[in-house]
Amino acid sequence: MFRINEDYLKLPGSYLFSTIGRKVAAFQEANPDKRIIRLGIGDVTQPLAPAIIDALHKAVDEMAHEETFHGYAPDLGYEFLRSAIAKNDYQARGCEIGADEIFISDGAKCDSGNIQEIFARDSKIAVCDPVYPVYVDTNVMAGRTGVYDPEKETWSEVIYMPCTKETGFLPELPKEIPDIIYLCFPNNPTGAAVTKDELQVWVDYANKKGAVIIYDAAYEAYISEEGVPHSIYECDGARACAVELRSFSKNAGFTGVRLGAAVIPKEVKCGDVMLHSLWARRHGTKYNGAPYIVQKAGEAVYSDAGKAQLKEQIAYYMKNAKVIYEGLKSAGYCVSGGVNAPYIWLEAPKGMTSWEFFDCLLERANVVGTPGSGFGPNGEGYFRLTAFGSYENTVEAIERIRRI
């Protein structure tokens, strides 16, 4: 008889956003007259920028002619996109990243889940708490996290780095030495950001301890403050210890188009083995590449028109973030985030648990958010709202919440 990977059976419940989806669907079915405003999942709502649409149309037309048709993409991705990323996201900021150190994918979520495959099964991971669930869940699937404690909602072999109000929702260096450190800044879910000096401490620590940092930079386009790094490679020594994950979903609205990139400098090594070589082998074996038309759309992100249009789009979402932040703060909520990230992190009121507040908002305001406990034990008592709705819906949602 066939056997299954029993590590999958260790996963508690279902994926956070699947649970939210089921609860919202059940409420909508029971209350078909209610208009629900969704500020939970981090899905964009604004249409693709005109420069991106033009690039998509042109690429589709190319596919209709033999001389310009494209089949399988190169293993690392098309050179035109990798060079655009290297030039605009890295070299323009003084980071020494070459096009051949960039691997094109269909999104940062997949890369953040798949990257763990190239590490030893007994590697010790360290994660912020609260944390994006994919980092932990995919390591559970790989058999790397030990035993789950349902009361504490923690895994025995995971190093948790608490991010609390007292620490400004930033992690402190772990007391136990990890092999792999997951960092996400600007942060999902708390919206917190680190300064370059603060991030340099993590790079120095990783190099000293022989750890590797998986750095999720999916929200770097939302950084508004000086001194907040857009890439970990702005820090000295990061080329020797860090893998950076990039997404086109939040900066360019590609949640439904799908495009991302993993950056692995050739200096990141385990002994004489380059992680770059391992990921290249894995990439070539398991992945057939993002479509040509999508990669051409990605190239348009870096055009002059694309940059200008996307700057306006990001400003639109950050206007929403300001509405949420200021509206909730004036209503007496304790809030943070919303300055360098499209997420607002707030304390649930009146001693409510995260899920109790979720139910309260859904039933009384018909607004959907994300319970903080879904991101880890230190998320209990907190709640995440996103700025990715329409401006009109965002204003209405906050007015509804204020009336509760």
Side-chain angles (χ1 to χ4, degrees):
M1 177 179 286
F2 67 86
R3 299 175 63 198
I4 61 171
N5 179 350
E6 294 188 3
D7 290 316
Y8 276 66
L9 301 180
K10 298 177 182 178
L11 290 165
S14 61
Y15 184 55
L16 171 62
F17 296 105
S18 300
T19 302
I20 292 172
R22 285 196 299 273
K23 289 175 74 74
V24 173
F27 178 83
Q28 188 73 87
E29 184 177 356
N31 301 273
D33 59 319
K34 304 293 186 181
R35 190 175 78 85
I36 296 174
I37 298 178
R38 301 169 189 266
L39 300 180
I41 192 170
D43 194 4
V44 296
T45 55
Q46 294 298 293
L48 294 174
I52 294 170
I53 291 295
D54 288 345
L56 281 168
H57 282 302
K58 290 176 182 177
V60 169
D61 288 340
E62 288 182 43
M63 299 296 279
H65 303 282
E66 184 176 349
E67 61 274 17
T68 52
F69 173 81
H70 289 79
Y72 288 124
D75 279 357
L76 272 67
Y78 285 99
E79 191 277 335
F80 59 76
L81 179 56
R82 291 185 289 106
S83 291
I85 294 172
K87 177 182 176 182
N88 290 276
D89 288 338
Y90 294 103
Q91 293 161 12
R93 293 193 173 102
C95 305
E96 297 181 11
I97 296 295
D100 62 345
E101 295 176 313
I102 297 171
F103 297 79
I104 303 302
S105 70
D106 59 358
K109 178 180 181 179
C110 295
D111 284 341
S112 64
N114 292 330
I115 193 71
Q116 51 81 25
E117 291 186 17
I118 64 175
F119 298 103
R121 184 173 178 176
D122 61 353
S123 296
K124 199 86 167 186
I125 70 166
V127 298
C128 295
D129 175 21
V131 67
Y132 181 44
V134 172
Y135 307 153
V136 175
D137 287 358
T138 52
N139 278 284
V140 174
M141 295 172 179
R144 192 175 285 120
T145 55
V147 178
Y148 183 68
D149 185 333
E151 291 187 7
K152 296 181 179 179
E153 297 184 323
T154 58
W155 295 90
S156 62
E157 297 302 316
V158 173
I159 300 170
Y160 291 91
M161 303 181 292
C163 300
T164 64
K165 185 163 59 173
E166 291 70 29
T167 67
F169 299 106
L170 297 179
E172 297 178 345
L173 294 175
K175 294 180 175 61
E176 184 180 356
I177 299 174
D179 300 300
I180 305 166
I181 303 168
Y182 287 84
L183 296 177
C184 173
F185 294 112
N187 185 258
N188 176 19
T190 67
V194 290
T195 65
K196 182 178 177 180
D197 288 343
E198 289 169 333
L199 187 56
Q200 184 67 58
V201 171
W202 285 93
V203 170
D204 293 343
Y205 173 83
N207 278 320
K208 180 179 179 180
K209 302 299 185 181
V212 63
I213 296 173
I214 309 300
Y215 192 77
D216 188 343
Y219 302 95
E220 64 80 25
Y222 291 85
I223 292 171
S224 63
E225 294 181 316
E226 294 293 327
V228 177
H230 289 256
S231 168
I232 195 170
Y233 302 118
E234 294 178 39
C235 297
D236 294 336
R239 280 188 55 88
C241 68
V243 171
E244 185 164 287
L245 308 180
R246 288 278 175 149
S247 171
F248 284 74
S249 289
K250 305 310 192 297
N251 68 326
F254 277 37
T255 53
V257 178
R258 307 308 308 151
L259 191 65
V263 182
I264 307 185
K266 295 178 181 178
E267 292 173 25
V268 186
K269 295 181 179 180
C270 177
D272 294 328
V273 179
M274 295 191 301
L275 292 194
H276 182 282
S277 298
L278 295 182
W279 188 245
R281 187 67 174 87
R282 191 256 176 217
H283 211 59
T285 301
K286 292 191 173 185
Y287 185 59
N288 271 336
Y292 171 76
I293 59 175
V294 173
Q295 294 197 45
K296 289 299 288 185
E299 182 186 31
V301 167
Y302 299 100
S303 66
D304 290 340
K307 289 178 181 178
Q309 292 161 10
L310 293 176
K311 184 177 180 180
E312 292 181 3
Q313 198 168 90
I314 289 169
Y316 177 94
Y317 291 131
M318 292 310 288
K319 182 181 179 182
N320 290 348
K322 186 176 182 180
V323 167
I324 298 171
Y325 183 94
E326 294 184 349
L328 293 178
K329 194 172 183 65
S330 66
Y333 286 88
C334 183
V335 295
S336 60
V339 176
N340 295 298
Y343 295 123
I344 289 77
W345 189 241
L346 63 144
E347 288 189 41
K350 302 174 184 176
M352 288 185 181
T353 67
S354 297
W355 279 106
E356 286 172 346
F357 189 50
F358 174 89
D359 291 335
C360 175
L361 286 190
L362 180 59
E363 294 167 7
R364 297 180 59 187
N366 307 147
V367 172
V368 177
T370 308
S373 60
F375 298 101
N378 271 293
E380 180 55 85
Y382 287 87
F383 204 76
R384 191 193 77 174
L385 292 174
T386 84
F388 288 123
S390 69
Y391 178 73
E392 295 75 17
N393 279 349
T394 300
V395 170
E396 182 177 346
I398 298 308
E399 285 303 313
R400 291 184 188 180
I401 295 173
R402 286 169 59 90
R403 289 195 296 266
I404 294 178

